[in-house]
Amino acid sequence: MRSMKTLTQEDTPIHRALEEQRLNRLAHFDVPGHKGGRGNKELKHFLGDTTLSLDMNSMKPLDNLCHPVSVIKEAQELTAEAFGADEAFFIVNGTTQAVQAMIMAVCKSGDKVIMPRNVHRSAINALVVCGAIPVYINPGTNKELGIPLGMSVEDVKQAIIENPDAKAVLVNNPTYYGICSNLKEIVKIAHEHGMLVLADEAHGTHFYFHDALPISAMEAGADMSAVSMHKTGGSLTQSSILLTRNTVNADYVRQVINLTQTTSGSYLLLSSLDIARKNLSLNGKSMFDKTIEFATYAREEINKLGGYYAFGEELINGDTVYAFDITKLSIHTRNIGLAGIEVYDLLRDDYGIQIEFGDIGNILAIISSGDRNLEIERLISALSEIKRLHKKDMAGMFDHEYINPQIVMGPQEAFYSNKRSMPINESKGQICGEFVMCYPPGIPILAPGERITEDILNYIAYAKEKGCFMTGTQDMKIENINVVE
């Protein structure tokens, strides 16, 4: 095994070790039971010989994800170097686990954590599991777009002053729509008050590799960051990384990760992280040059169509929109009389175009260097056609994505309380005992412990009517809801 001193960003230790094992003609009396695909020929035919032969289990030459000492350790160290972190952990349970590991590493039952309410469900799920108590900050809102923005620095400062015993502040960097808070200032204030800063960078991998993009969490001085390598970094779906600084005990973080992460880490996912890191480190600047060029062109052309509003850096106000991710193609659709989810469905069903998500008033298209000019033009043309064929009056449209919650009890207490099921449309005034959300983006409309209001019920009914994919409730038909007794 080579020392890290001899490794460079051109190396891929896990990839190299896997190739060596694939070529050494071992007789395998270990798992997986498909034995390189020979035991499941249909799967081998579908995924290919190479994929099945690389689907190996942990063995000495391949290291162990739970306790890395060789090639995984090397790959993680190269990743930390590439991202400007002190430590990096490979995650194979998705960024959901990375977010939960951050929270669970700094909070125990009863501890407070300050966070925006427009967090991904993974953050609130962590509170359900570990018993930490959220101090929610309502994000700013844009009345024209109806979307939640970032956190105001003053609101964060006020929450810190009012909750001096809070352990950490969690920040979205960026939101699903590409909006960033003033992360550097939030870090400064939090650290002055002895609190850690955790960043959900599920949509911010590219921030680390291009100067024209908002500041990354590690550069801003955050203590931990959960990064979805698979979203904009080029690794396989479900692979992620958790970055840490020396302000946290990395060995303890590893123990927390191991509470819930599989002991059978997929080497397909691990090698994809290894190779994606190399690609980003060597080619990231040119990759995101191309991404920015594509997104900027599409934004300008869509805005020329009229009716749509592909928003961008003009939203920056120095506070709740401190920076904007110009690679994000977020498009407001309400002015053509269509909900975002309706445009989403039309694009897929009538034009063969799959975008990331549609919500009540907006759609989001993920742009990357892997796109092609022809596909960008197809999207623009399809949106033009949809406007021509389907535009209608805006009357009766719901005009906001975010509703300030009324917190009655902690998420863990509510989720594990005695509950009863009742029709959602009769639940006004009750305390919610589970989640209700549209997925994607997976930001809860209701979380355990929140009061069910008429505004929320109207939102849920409207989202269902427009065809949003609703999740979270025990009732798979989303007709009944569990409320606290």
Side-chain angles (χ1 to χ4, degrees):
M1 185 185 76
R2 290 181 293 176
S3 161
M4 256 299 291
K5 290 179 181 178
T6 66
L7 294 179
T8 72
Q9 289 298 322
E10 295 191 4
D11 288 296
T12 50
I14 298 173
H15 172 219
R16 183 189 72 242
L18 272 175
E19 276 292 272
E20 290 172 357
Q21 293 309 307
R22 184 171 72 91
L23 297 172
N24 71 3
R25 300 178 63 84
L26 279 177
H28 278 281
F29 294 98
D30 59 350
V31 295
H34 61 67
K35 302 296 173 100
R38 295 187 302 276
N40 189 340
K41 292 181 180 178
E42 184 176 356
L43 184 65
K44 182 177 180 179
H45 178 72
F46 179 58
L47 294 180
D49 288 359
T50 302
T51 301
L52 271 292
S53 65
L54 292 174
D55 183 31
M56 300 183 198
N57 192 37
S58 179
M59 60 179 85
K60 278 192 176 181
L62 294 181
D63 206 358
N64 187 297
L65 183 59
C66 296
H67 193 96
V69 294
S70 59
V71 295
I72 295 176
K73 181 174 184 288
E74 290 177 338
Q76 290 184 156
E77 288 172 348
L78 286 169
T79 300
E81 178 182 85
F83 282 79
D86 291 315
E87 299 279 350
F89 298 91
F90 283 5
I91 304 291
V92 295
N93 290 20
T95 308
T96 286
Q97 187 184 24
V99 169
Q100 293 174 349
M102 288 195 302
I103 294 172
M104 292 165 64
V106 302
C107 295
K108 59 181 183 299
S109 182
D111 286 343
K112 294 178 184 176
V113 56
I114 297 167
M115 61 174 66
R117 176 53 180 78
N118 59 323
V119 289
H120 188 262
R121 67 174 294 178
S122 57
I124 303 178
N125 280 348
L127 308 181
V128 170
V129 173
C130 76
I133 304 297
V135 176
Y136 288 131
I137 294 177
N138 288 320
T141 55
N142 180 294
K143 290 183 179 178
E144 180 186 359
L145 302 175
I147 61 171
L149 306 174
M151 294 186 292
S152 161
V153 169
E154 282 305 311
D155 286 347
V156 174
K157 186 184 294 185
Q158 188 66 26
I160 287 173
I161 291 169
E162 291 176 0
N163 299 274
D165 53 341
K167 300 296 183 183
V169 180
L170 187 144
V171 186
N172 293 320
N173 194 51
T175 69
Y176 227 127
Y177 301 100
I179 290 161
C180 297
S181 303
N182 187 348
L183 182 56
K184 196 167 187 177
E185 187 63 22
I186 290 171
V187 167
K188 179 175 176 287
I189 295 166
H191 285 176
E192 285 172 353
H193 289 81
M195 297 180 193
L196 298 174
V197 176
L198 320 176
D200 181 346
E201 289 191 305
H203 296 271
T205 308
H206 45 302
F207 289 5
Y208 289 85
F209 300 96
H210 203 288
D211 291 341
L213 299 174
I215 193 170
S216 68
M218 290 296 104
E219 187 180 350
D223 302 281
M224 285 195 272
S225 175
V227 180
S228 277
M229 281 283 275
H230 69 93
K231 286 189 170 73
T232 58
S235 65
L236 290 177
T237 296
Q238 200 177 308
S239 59
S240 178
I241 57 174
L242 176 57
L243 304 173
T244 67
R245 287 197 169 278
N246 285 339
T247 47
V248 297
N249 182 334
D251 289 324
Y252 177 66
V253 172
R254 175 174 44 79
Q255 285 185 311
V256 171
I257 291 170
N258 286 339
L259 290 174
T260 53
Q261 180 153 261
T262 177
T263 55
S264 303
S266 165
Y267 277 90
L268 297 175
L269 298 182
L270 293 173
S271 59
S272 81
L273 285 170
D274 200 16
I275 295 168
R277 181 269 312 152
K278 173 186 174 181
N279 188 37
L280 288 170
S281 184
L282 300 183
N283 307 309
K285 172 67 166 57
S286 60
M287 287 167 58
F288 298 122
D289 276 341
K290 189 175 180 183
T291 304
I292 291 168
E293 183 182 341
F294 276 152
T296 300
Y297 171 76
R299 188 177 295 111
E300 291 172 352
E301 293 301 307
I302 290 165
N303 283 333
K304 288 177 185 175
L305 298 176
Y308 297 105
Y309 175 28
F311 48 92
E313 290 180 300
E314 70 281 356
L315 296 184
I316 293 173
N317 59 21
D319 191 21
T320 51
V321 187
Y322 187 76
F324 185 83
D325 175 9
I326 54 176
T327 71
K328 287 283 188 297
L329 186 58
S330 302
I331 306 164
H332 188 61
T333 65
R334 193 179 294 115
N335 291 335
I336 63 166
L338 295 176
I341 188 63
E342 293 176 306
V343 176
Y344 171 101
D345 287 338
L346 287 166
L347 284 169
R348 185 195 62 242
D349 296 342
D350 295 356
Y351 298 92
I353 295 173
Q354 181 64 55
I355 58 172
E356 178 67 10
F357 82 83
D359 55 30
I360 299 302
N362 304 276
I363 58 173
L364 173 66
I366 297 293
I367 307 295
S368 86
S369 61
D371 287 311
R372 294 171 290 193
N373 289 309
L374 179 62
E375 290 161 340
I376 300 292
E377 295 294 352
R378 275 183 65 187
L379 174 61
I380 296 165
S381 298
L383 290 172
S384 178
E385 279 289 288
I386 287 170
K387 178 193 168 190
R388 184 177 68 82
L389 296 173
H390 300 281
K391 182 179 179 181
K392 57 187 179 183
D393 190 86
M394 291 172 58
M397 295 195 73
F398 214 85
D399 65 354
H400 55 283
E401 298 288 344
Y402 178 75
I403 300 169
N404 292 345
Q406 296 179 20
I407 314 299
V408 183
M409 62 175 65
Q412 185 183 67
E413 181 185 0
F415 187 84
Y416 289 111
S417 66
N418 292 326
K419 293 173 287 197
R420 60 188 173 91
S421 178
M422 65 185 303
I424 285 183
N425 58 11
E426 298 174 12
S427 65
K428 178 183 174 182
Q430 301 292 327
I431 301 169
C432 186
E434 54 188 355
F435 291 92
V436 182
M437 71 201 83
C438 300
Y439 186 84
I443 298 167
I445 302 165
L446 270 171
E450 296 177 359
R451 182 81 65 190
I452 302 171
T453 65
E454 186 172 359
D455 201 8
I456 287 170
L457 292 176
N458 289 339
Y459 183 101
I460 292 170
Y462 185 82
K464 288 172 69 175
E465 176 194 329
K466 292 298 182 183
C468 289
F469 183 64
M470 308 292 288
T471 70
T473 54
Q474 189 171 308
D475 174 19
M476 293 293 286
K477 295 180 180 178
I478 326 289
E479 293 172 352
N480 296 295
I481 191 166
N482 284 332
V483 300
V484 176
E485 287 190 336

